[in-house]
Amino acid sequence: MRASLIIAAGGSGSRFQKTLRPVAASKMAPGPLPPKLFYPLAGKSLLEHTLAVFQKNPRIQETVIAAPEGLGKLIRTMAKKNRWRSVKVTRGGKTRAESVWNALRKTDPKNTVVLVQDGARPFLPEETLNRLLEASKNHEAVLLGKKVVPTIKEISLEGSVKRTIDRKALIEAETPQVLNRELLERAYREVPQAFQATDESSLVETLGARVHVVTHEGWNPKITTYKDFELAEAYLNQNRVVRTGFGRDTHRLVPKRKFWLGGIVIPYEKGPLGHSDGDALIHAVIDALLGAMGKGDIGEWFSDQDPKFKNIASPKMLKKVMEESRAEGFQIQHADTVIILEKPKLGPYKKQMKQHLAKLLGLRENNVSIKAKTAEGLGPEGEGLAVTCEALVTIR
Ligand code: MG
């Protein structure tokens, strides 16, 4: 059997955006928010999670994604990164049915079966997908359904109960829906108002086709609101191991050096001596991150004997270690830091340092903490001879 997969990703995700706005306003950097399917969910976008199970299945020959205009480039970059095989992008329509039609026209006619999947259903189990594909050998239309558990009432327009519906006769229609290509094409040609259909099953039902139902007991939610999204994230993270790393760094303070700290310059008469720019805060964070990953220390990564690293900007070093952490599948969760410095007072710069560090680490600002204290005149920090920073980084 050869099958084409159509991902309906044309919607704007307005319910999601609406519920996200208040959260975003308090937690995220200003600027445009990504569309729902491109929003990061436990380290990957929602769309990447949705596609994973299909990409692994040898019976699915190709994927056509119907997406809002202007997102093609982003999807192609994603395809490259994930090494997706044969993914095409087409323009989403005004309705779901229109998007599916646009995508259907781009599929290879040699593939006799077409699967339609909501872009925002990231948890389809492999075993369920295989059951659907098996069933499609004997049925021209197959629908994934979930038995209805709650008691369902039919109500009148005024809001009083008319009757209680026998839930044994009810299922909730989910996706994927698996259809014979010719049947689906015929439905688009012959059903009046085909473009208003809310799912493919109802389209072919109108033609009188028999739609076979495969039921399942699993969790295959469609991510609609930001609440759904948070639940999905908690579900994905439930088995991930949390690790922490600790870092500490001291730099001598000398005249005629710029005082780099947390990626910004603090106006002061002295600055940290060092082979690099001497940013003790970022160095402590790098060591903490390396510690959490179990990957040595900053000296092993960026030797102070290597002329290549002379005066290197510390954010560049952090970037490199971040790349390593991504490649290893780690996701940074949180960074807590302490700066021990007698002078100058850091109060006016803490907010800016925090913003900067959050950006470097790809974290929301409320997941980064910067605390500054003096050493009460004691020791090298207290005497103004040095700056010391400590950092604790949590990763998953
Ligand atoms: Mg250092």
Side-chain angles (χ1 to χ4, degrees):
M1 180 213 296
R2 293 169 61 97
S4 296
L5 169 69
I6 290 175
I7 300 277
S12 64
S14 58
R15 262 171 297 189
F16 180 78
Q17 296 291 347
K18 232 181 265 166
T19 49
L20 171 64
R21 288 260 160 222
V23 181
S26 66
K27 289 186 186 171
M28 289 177 63
L33 298 166
K36 177 174 77 173
L37 293 184
F38 300 90
Y39 201 80
L41 173 68
K44 276 189 202 168
S45 68
L46 184 49
L47 183 62
E48 286 169 290
H49 284 288
T50 300
L51 234 62
V53 69
F54 296 98
Q55 279 291 321
K56 276 196 296 190
N57 197 301
R59 283 190 278 198
I60 293 164
Q61 302 289 319
E62 61 171 355
T63 301
V64 184
I65 302 174
E69 218 184 343
L71 291 172
K73 204 175 147 201
L74 187 56
I75 295 173
R76 277 186 283 272
T77 312
M78 219 176 247
K80 223 173 166 183
K81 195 182 92 192
N82 290 286
R83 300 210 186 99
W84 284 340
R85 44 191 180 86
S86 51
V87 169
K88 294 182 221 165
V89 182
T90 189
R91 227 174 112 177
K94 280 194 282 296
T95 60
R96 173 201 170 92
E98 212 178 298
S99 294
V100 171
W101 171 243
N102 289 351
L104 185 61
R105 286 189 306 173
K106 291 255 174 159
T107 56
D108 183 348
K110 285 201 292 290
N111 299 333
T112 50
V113 168
V114 175
L115 288 86
V116 181
Q117 167 75 338
D118 295 324
R121 282 193 202 269
F123 298 133
L124 178 71
E126 198 171 358
E127 168 266 332
T128 309
L129 174 59
N130 283 327
R131 278 205 292 138
L132 286 163
L133 289 168
E134 277 305 308
S136 76
K137 286 180 183 166
N138 303 316
H139 304 276
E140 55 182 359
V142 181
L143 167 69
L144 180 61
K146 182 123 179 209
K147 284 188 179 139
V148 169
V149 178
T151 301
I152 303 282
K153 310 271 181 184
E154 186 186 352
I155 59 168
S156 68
L157 289 175
E158 307 81 59
S160 56
V161 172
K162 273 166 106 181
R163 66 188 179 110
T164 301
I165 297 172
D166 179 8
R167 64 185 171 187
K168 281 202 293 297
L170 293 176
I171 61 139
E172 192 183 329
E174 295 184 350
T175 68
Q177 303 194 356
V178 190
L179 302 112
N180 174 282
R181 155 190 298 280
E182 276 168 31
L183 176 68
L184 185 57
E185 282 174 346
R186 190 155 67 84
Y188 271 105
R189 279 197 310 270
E190 292 178 13
V191 174
Q193 275 142 11
F195 291 112
Q196 307 308 320
T198 53
D199 71 349
E200 296 60 50
S201 163
S202 46
L203 245 181
V204 301
E205 285 158 36
T206 318
L207 281 185
R210 189 169 166 270
V211 179
H212 177 75
V213 178
V214 168
T215 58
H216 77 117
E217 305 284 317
W219 195 51
N220 182 34
K222 186 174 177 183
I223 308 300
T224 307
T225 67
Y226 189 67
K227 213 49 213 151
D228 300 335
F229 193 85
E230 285 186 316
L231 272 173
E233 189 150 60
Y235 175 75
L236 283 169
N237 283 334
Q238 64 186 337
N239 292 323
R240 293 209 186 174
V241 178
V242 171
R243 297 165 73 160
T244 53
F246 177 65
R248 181 184 165 96
D249 194 32
T250 298
H251 280 257
R252 194 185 285 273
L253 292 175
V254 297
K256 294 191 190 136
R257 285 278 293 183
K258 268 193 185 167
F259 199 161
W260 286 99
L261 198 59
I264 67 168
V265 175
I266 310 288
Y268 190 51
E269 62 202 43
K270 292 197 261 183
L273 185 65
H275 186 66
S276 66
D277 63 7
D279 193 322
L281 182 57
I282 294 191
H283 294 178
V285 168
I286 290 173
D287 256 353
L289 182 52
L290 287 171
M293 292 193 286
K295 291 235 165 215
D297 63 30
I298 193 167
E300 291 168 33
W301 279 69
F302 309 96
S303 163
D304 59 5
Q305 305 302 315
D306 192 335
K308 201 167 63 200
F309 302 127
K310 177 103 182 116
N311 290 324
I312 187 176
S314 297
K316 262 194 191 164
M317 300 155 77
L318 178 54
K319 230 177 180 172
K320 185 151 185 241
V321 177
M322 295 271 301
E323 274 163 25
E324 174 74 9
S325 76
R326 262 194 295 272
E328 293 277 313
F330 289 117
Q331 197 197 341
I332 301 173
Q333 301 289 306
H334 186 262
D336 185 20
T337 65
V338 178
I339 303 165
I340 304 155
L341 180 70
E342 207 68 16
K343 266 196 292 193
K345 286 270 169 273
L346 291 176
Y349 311 107
K350 276 200 299 199
K351 193 173 156 58
Q352 204 192 335
M353 278 195 267
K354 182 172 163 158
Q355 280 170 350
H356 203 80
L357 201 54
K359 209 170 149 200
L360 287 172
L361 291 168
L363 290 174
R364 291 171 182 160
E365 268 179 57
N366 62 346
N367 287 324
V368 172
S369 136
I370 290 184
K371 307 190 292 298
K373 50 186 22 181
T374 70
E376 301 275 326
L378 297 168
E381 292 87 3
E383 288 167 30
L385 300 174
V387 56
T388 289
C389 295
E390 294 179 328
L392 200 62
V393 168
T394 310
I395 63 173
R396 239 186 323 223

